[in-house]
Amino acid sequence: MGQFSLKLFIAGQTARSEHAVAQARRLSESKLAGKCVLEIIDVVERPDIAEQERILATPMLVKAHPLPMRRIIGDLTRMEDVLFGLGLLADMGVLEPGGSA
Amino acid sequence: MNDLQNGFAVERLRRELDASERRLRSIINHNPDSILVLDQEGVVLFANPAADALFGWGGRLQGHVFGFPTVAGETTEIDIAAHGRNARQVEMRVSATEWDGRSAMMATLRDITDRKASERALRDSEFRYRQAFDQALTANYISDPAGGLLASNATFLRIFGFESEQEACEAGVPALFGNPAKHAEIVEAVRRHRALRGVEIEMTHHNGAIVHVIGNVFGSFDANGNLEALTAFLLDVSEWRSLEAQLRHAQKMEAIGRLAGGLAHDFNNLLTVVTGYGSLLLNRLPATDRLRQCAVEIVDAADRAAALTSRLLTFGRRQFTQPALFRLDELLDSIAPLLRSAAGDDIELRLSATGGGVIFADRSQIEQVIMNLVVNARDAMPDGGVMTVRSLLQGEADLPVGLGPGSRVLLEVSDTGHGMTPEVRSRLFEPFFTTKSQGKGTGLGLSIVYGIVKRAGGEVLVESQPEQGAVFRVYFPEVQGEPAVPAPVAEPALPRRGTETILLIDDDPNLRRLAVSVLHDAGYRVLEATDALHAIRIAEETPIDLLLTDVLMPGMNGRNLAAKVLGMRPNSRVLYISGFNEDATLLQGVYEPGASFLRKPFTPAQLERNVREILDRPHGVAAAAATGA
């Protein structure tokens, strides 16, 4: 558990934010089911974290763990883009059900 | 080519390359869109000045992690983080490129914050106008010039009776104008004048009924001035129209009532004198005198005239009334046999008196209302038919428009007779208006109904079409309370002669002379006064048994005069002479219990009987509120 740590940065409760949250959840509950902690951070409420993490734009999904840290920005609809951007396709074995934990 | 030539060529090529790079850099540097070149991990390899400005860091973006850009379609929208300033909304476009020989991504960012704000403002504005259109009190619609419905609101659907917008679309706008020509006329007028304001239009409900509207209609035109659409705002004034008509009718009836009542009142004074002297003449002429017949004719004619003025007074609401609480059902039951005989054998009378309530009115007058309506219904059915008379209670919610608050006791008289035209209906209650042949009706029956009903705080409404019968509905305010048990009516005592002293005050010399004459003949001692001050002087000097005074006189009224006289002569009695009901109200409202009065016109016998009755009454006994005919 907790092998993957994802952080989703959104800006306010907009339709775009909601879509991003839904997509990030989908990812964490399907491909990364049982192996992922997803944290959602609203930069409007927590500008300090945005500042600290040097978030340039939202919605941004950050893979904080395992390293290397990767960030993707934009539309999270296309799962293969998301997986590629986060560098997860490179280690698909981890993602397959029954793969090494 | 020698070295020198080679050197020139290289130099030229270098200059050309420099120039080309400057041009390209200029294009990139001056591009209002932000351009970022990113490596596969989203690290910024290059940012143009617009990008540096957009992120507002004051420094260069190069080397920072922007993130791997993902775009679902051609573009995607992202928010640039605020970092202490206003967040910006950006449209991102991504394409593959090459940077220093390696594959890279180019993200082009266009600031759409202002465009989004104006889109939102437009949407909000559109929403507000849409609300104003949808929720308006007016019926609103937009149509094309041919009458195809493009939009409508809830009020529109309601006043024209459509279940849905689709049903309205199927019917089309021209149908609402009754005929296509009328719609075309409106469209043409809008085409010519661009807008119509405050126009009155008679439109048609989905069920065919007339809907009166006042409307504004505006045209929308294209660049060439061709009419593209019409927008209409229609205020339904049908109900106001009907109230206006009711008001006009009420005002007319009020005016006629005043005229008739006022005339009849003055006429009454004259008739009292005519009847009085006629009676005196009759009494004094020997039975064999040939002139006796003349006196009989005079008294008869005056009696008939008095009956007529009495009816006019009833219509004019100046007739004396004795309102009391009673049940309309109970009254209908008690006069049922009378109604059956009035209706006659050819007419089937259906009587239902089960649902009414208590009203406050003059019982005998309401009896007259019912009787007049029944006679009217009978006369509308010369060849027989069905007459229905019923009483029922109506809650406020069931009342027709314009009746005001509170529940009503409804008296309904309907017939299956010849009905009437709208013209007849509008003049129905006017005195002397009759559709009956000469000699068959006075034209006062329904006027009296109107006067009595109004006097009782009620309303009378009529529904009728030619050949479709008529329904008269009389609405009385329902009163809470228990009806009083009617007091037995005392038989009038036969007048007997007297010797007492009577002080008579009336400003009408004719009437005064008549009364003096009658009372003298009956044995009384009569002192006359022309006004109150004169009367007080007489009372100071002479003991009097009865003060006989007019209620309304110039100077001091009868009540104040009586108070003064009774102050001096506590054993005196008072009999007021009253012209009409306003006096009676004054008497009942202000005068002490026990006050009696005599209604004009009176006959000599009535005068004698009333005077005697009061003088014979023991002190301290309250009299009936009114005596006389």
mmCIF file of all heavy atoms in Angstrom, chain B residues 417-435:
data_model
loop_
_atom_site.group_PDB
_atom_site.id
_atom_site.type_symbol
_atom_site.label_atom_id
_atom_site.label_comp_id
_atom_site.label_asym_id
_atom_site.label_seq_id
_atom_site.Cartn_x
_atom_site.Cartn_y
_atom_site.Cartn_z
ATOM 1 N N GLY B 417 -86.269 30.237 -20.309
ATOM 2 C CA GLY B 417 -87.062 31.084 -21.190
ATOM 3 C C GLY B 417 -86.309 31.650 -22.378
ATOM 4 O O GLY B 417 -85.273 31.115 -22.784
ATOM 5 N N HIS B 418 -86.824 32.780 -22.907
ATOM 6 C CA HIS B 418 -86.292 33.302 -24.172
ATOM 7 C C HIS B 418 -84.948 34.013 -24.029
ATOM 8 O O HIS B 418 -84.345 34.398 -25.026
ATOM 9 C CB HIS B 418 -87.317 34.199 -24.860
ATOM 10 C CG HIS B 418 -87.915 35.239 -23.960
ATOM 11 N ND1 HIS B 418 -87.161 36.166 -23.310
ATOM 12 C CD2 HIS B 418 -89.207 35.464 -23.595
ATOM 13 C CE1 HIS B 418 -87.961 36.945 -22.590
ATOM 14 N NE2 HIS B 418 -89.210 36.528 -22.739
ATOM 15 N N GLY B 419 -84.474 34.194 -22.792
ATOM 16 C CA GLY B 419 -83.150 34.805 -22.624
ATOM 17 C C GLY B 419 -83.124 36.245 -23.070
ATOM 18 O O GLY B 419 -84.172 36.850 -23.332
ATOM 19 N N MET B 420 -81.942 36.817 -23.156
ATOM 20 C CA MET B 420 -81.876 38.215 -23.582
ATOM 21 C C MET B 420 -80.561 38.546 -24.269
ATOM 22 O O MET B 420 -79.558 37.834 -24.127
ATOM 23 C CB MET B 420 -82.104 39.148 -22.393
ATOM 24 C CG MET B 420 -81.188 38.889 -21.222
ATOM 25 S SD MET B 420 -81.777 39.758 -19.764
ATOM 26 C CE MET B 420 -81.818 38.452 -18.576
ATOM 27 N N THR B 421 -80.584 39.638 -24.993
ATOM 28 C CA THR B 421 -79.395 40.094 -25.713
ATOM 29 C C THR B 421 -78.510 40.862 -24.726
ATOM 30 O O THR B 421 -78.986 41.317 -23.683
ATOM 31 C CB THR B 421 -79.794 41.050 -26.846
ATOM 32 O OG1 THR B 421 -80.439 42.176 -26.247
ATOM 33 C CG2 THR B 421 -80.739 40.393 -27.831
ATOM 34 N N PRO B 422 -77.246 41.041 -25.087
ATOM 35 C CA PRO B 422 -76.366 41.831 -24.216
ATOM 36 C C PRO B 422 -76.900 43.244 -23.981
ATOM 37 O O PRO B 422 -76.753 43.794 -22.896
ATOM 38 C CB PRO B 422 -75.047 41.877 -24.992
ATOM 39 C CG PRO B 422 -75.064 40.679 -25.859
ATOM 40 C CD PRO B 422 -76.501 40.444 -26.205
ATOM 41 N N GLU B 423 -77.573 43.826 -24.981
ATOM 42 C CA GLU B 423 -78.114 45.186 -24.844
ATOM 43 C C GLU B 423 -79.171 45.219 -23.747
ATOM 44 O O GLU B 423 -79.183 46.104 -22.891
ATOM 45 C CB GLU B 423 -78.735 45.677 -26.164
ATOM 46 C CG GLU B 423 -77.734 45.942 -27.277
ATOM 47 C CD GLU B 423 -77.129 44.675 -27.862
ATOM 48 O OE1 GLU B 423 -77.836 43.640 -27.910
ATOM 49 O OE2 GLU B 423 -75.934 44.689 -28.207
ATOM 50 N N VAL B 424 -80.068 44.248 -23.808
ATOM 51 C CA VAL B 424 -81.127 44.190 -22.794
ATOM 52 C C VAL B 424 -80.507 43.951 -21.419
ATOM 53 O O VAL B 424 -80.874 44.594 -20.434
ATOM 54 C CB VAL B 424 -82.142 43.067 -23.139
ATOM 55 C CG1 VAL B 424 -83.099 42.822 -21.976
ATOM 56 C CG2 VAL B 424 -82.912 43.428 -24.401
ATOM 57 N N ARG B 425 -79.534 43.052 -21.387
ATOM 58 C CA ARG B 425 -78.921 42.705 -20.119
ATOM 59 C C ARG B 425 -78.287 43.927 -19.447
ATOM 60 O O ARG B 425 -78.362 44.104 -18.248
ATOM 61 C CB ARG B 425 -77.851 41.634 -20.345
ATOM 62 C CG ARG B 425 -77.704 40.678 -19.185
ATOM 63 C CD ARG B 425 -76.801 39.530 -19.539
ATOM 64 N NE ARG B 425 -75.502 40.001 -19.975
ATOM 65 C CZ ARG B 425 -74.787 39.448 -20.951
ATOM 66 N NH1 ARG B 425 -75.242 38.407 -21.592
ATOM 67 N NH2 ARG B 425 -73.624 39.933 -21.285
ATOM 68 N N SER B 426 -77.680 44.789 -20.270
ATOM 69 C CA SER B 426 -76.976 45.935 -19.682
ATOM 70 C C SER B 426 -77.946 46.994 -19.143
ATOM 71 O O SER B 426 -77.557 47.838 -18.355
ATOM 72 C CB SER B 426 -76.037 46.553 -20.717
ATOM 73 O OG SER B 426 -76.801 47.234 -21.682
ATOM 74 N N ARG B 427 -79.209 46.951 -19.573
ATOM 75 C CA ARG B 427 -80.150 47.969 -19.101
ATOM 76 C C ARG B 427 -81.219 47.396 -18.185
ATOM 77 O O ARG B 427 -82.138 48.110 -17.759
ATOM 78 C CB ARG B 427 -80.831 48.622 -20.318
ATOM 79 C CG ARG B 427 -79.844 49.329 -21.232
ATOM 80 C CD ARG B 427 -80.576 50.174 -22.232
ATOM 81 N NE ARG B 427 -81.423 51.168 -21.579
ATOM 82 C CZ ARG B 427 -82.369 51.852 -22.211
ATOM 83 N NH1 ARG B 427 -82.603 51.645 -23.491
ATOM 84 N NH2 ARG B 427 -83.082 52.738 -21.563
ATOM 85 N N LEU B 428 -81.068 46.138 -17.880
ATOM 86 C CA LEU B 428 -82.084 45.366 -17.168
ATOM 87 C C LEU B 428 -82.626 46.017 -15.901
ATOM 88 O O LEU B 428 -83.807 45.970 -15.615
ATOM 89 C CB LEU B 428 -81.433 44.031 -16.811
ATOM 90 C CG LEU B 428 -82.308 42.849 -16.540
ATOM 91 C CD1 LEU B 428 -83.191 42.584 -17.742
ATOM 92 C CD2 LEU B 428 -81.409 41.637 -16.290
ATOM 93 N N PHE B 429 -81.724 46.631 -15.143
ATOM 94 C CA PHE B 429 -82.118 47.124 -13.818
ATOM 95 C C PHE B 429 -82.529 48.592 -13.820
ATOM 96 O O PHE B 429 -82.823 49.155 -12.784
ATOM 97 C CB PHE B 429 -80.966 46.897 -12.831
ATOM 98 C CG PHE B 429 -80.640 45.450 -12.631
ATOM 99 C CD1 PHE B 429 -79.444 44.921 -13.079
ATOM 100 C CD2 PHE B 429 -81.548 44.606 -12.004
ATOM 101 C CE1 PHE B 429 -79.148 43.578 -12.904
ATOM 102 C CE2 PHE B 429 -81.265 43.261 -11.823
ATOM 103 C CZ PHE B 429 -80.064 42.743 -12.277
ATOM 104 N N GLU B 430 -82.500 49.198 -14.997
ATOM 105 C CA GLU B 430 -82.891 50.613 -15.046
ATOM 106 C C GLU B 430 -84.387 50.741 -14.797
ATOM 107 O O GLU B 430 -85.173 49.956 -15.325
ATOM 108 C CB GLU B 430 -82.569 51.208 -16.423
ATOM 109 C CG GLU B 430 -81.099 51.413 -16.636
ATOM 110 C CD GLU B 430 -80.801 51.921 -18.034
ATOM 111 O OE1 GLU B 430 -81.721 52.504 -18.663
ATOM 112 O OE2 GLU B 430 -79.671 51.722 -18.491
ATOM 113 N N PRO B 431 -84.795 51.752 -14.015
ATOM 114 C CA PRO B 431 -86.234 51.924 -13.793
ATOM 115 C C PRO B 431 -86.945 52.252 -15.106
ATOM 116 O O PRO B 431 -86.406 52.974 -15.938
ATOM 117 C CB PRO B 431 -86.306 53.088 -12.809
ATOM 118 C CG PRO B 431 -84.977 53.716 -12.799
ATOM 119 C CD PRO B 431 -83.983 52.724 -13.286
ATOM 120 N N PHE B 432 -88.110 51.709 -15.253
ATOM 121 C CA PHE B 432 -88.986 51.927 -16.423
ATOM 122 C C PHE B 432 -88.430 51.324 -17.699
ATOM 123 O O PHE B 432 -88.927 51.563 -18.775
ATOM 124 C CB PHE B 432 -89.308 53.421 -16.630
ATOM 125 C CG PHE B 432 -89.894 54.052 -15.404
ATOM 126 C CD1 PHE B 432 -89.216 55.018 -14.700
ATOM 127 C CD2 PHE B 432 -91.133 53.625 -14.930
ATOM 128 C CE1 PHE B 432 -89.742 55.571 -13.556
ATOM 129 C CE2 PHE B 432 -91.674 54.172 -13.778
ATOM 130 C CZ PHE B 432 -90.983 55.157 -13.076
ATOM 131 N N PHE B 433 -87.344 50.526 -17.583
ATOM 132 C CA PHE B 433 -86.882 49.788 -18.756
ATOM 133 C C PHE B 433 -87.611 48.460 -18.752
ATOM 134 O O PHE B 433 -87.540 47.690 -17.800
ATOM 135 C CB PHE B 433 -85.374 49.555 -18.709
ATOM 136 C CG PHE B 433 -84.878 48.722 -19.856
ATOM 137 C CD1 PHE B 433 -84.661 49.299 -21.108
ATOM 138 C CD2 PHE B 433 -84.663 47.360 -19.709
ATOM 139 C CE1 PHE B 433 -84.226 48.531 -22.170
ATOM 140 C CE2 PHE B 433 -84.224 46.588 -20.776
ATOM 141 C CZ PHE B 433 -84.010 47.177 -22.003
ATOM 142 N N THR B 434 -88.373 48.199 -19.800
ATOM 143 C CA THR B 434 -89.091 46.931 -19.840
ATOM 144 C C THR B 434 -89.161 46.425 -21.275
ATOM 145 O O THR B 434 -89.181 47.205 -22.220
ATOM 146 C CB THR B 434 -90.513 47.052 -19.250
ATOM 147 O OG1 THR B 434 -91.151 45.784 -19.333
ATOM 148 C CG2 THR B 434 -91.353 48.088 -19.955
ATOM 149 N N THR B 435 -89.144 45.105 -21.395
ATOM 150 C CA THR B 435 -89.314 44.514 -22.722
ATOM 151 C C THR B 435 -90.731 43.957 -22.853
ATOM 152 O O THR B 435 -91.092 43.407 -23.867
ATOM 153 C CB THR B 435 -88.316 43.360 -22.934
ATOM 154 O OG1 THR B 435 -88.490 42.419 -21.883
ATOM 155 C CG2 THR B 435 -86.879 43.862 -22.925
#
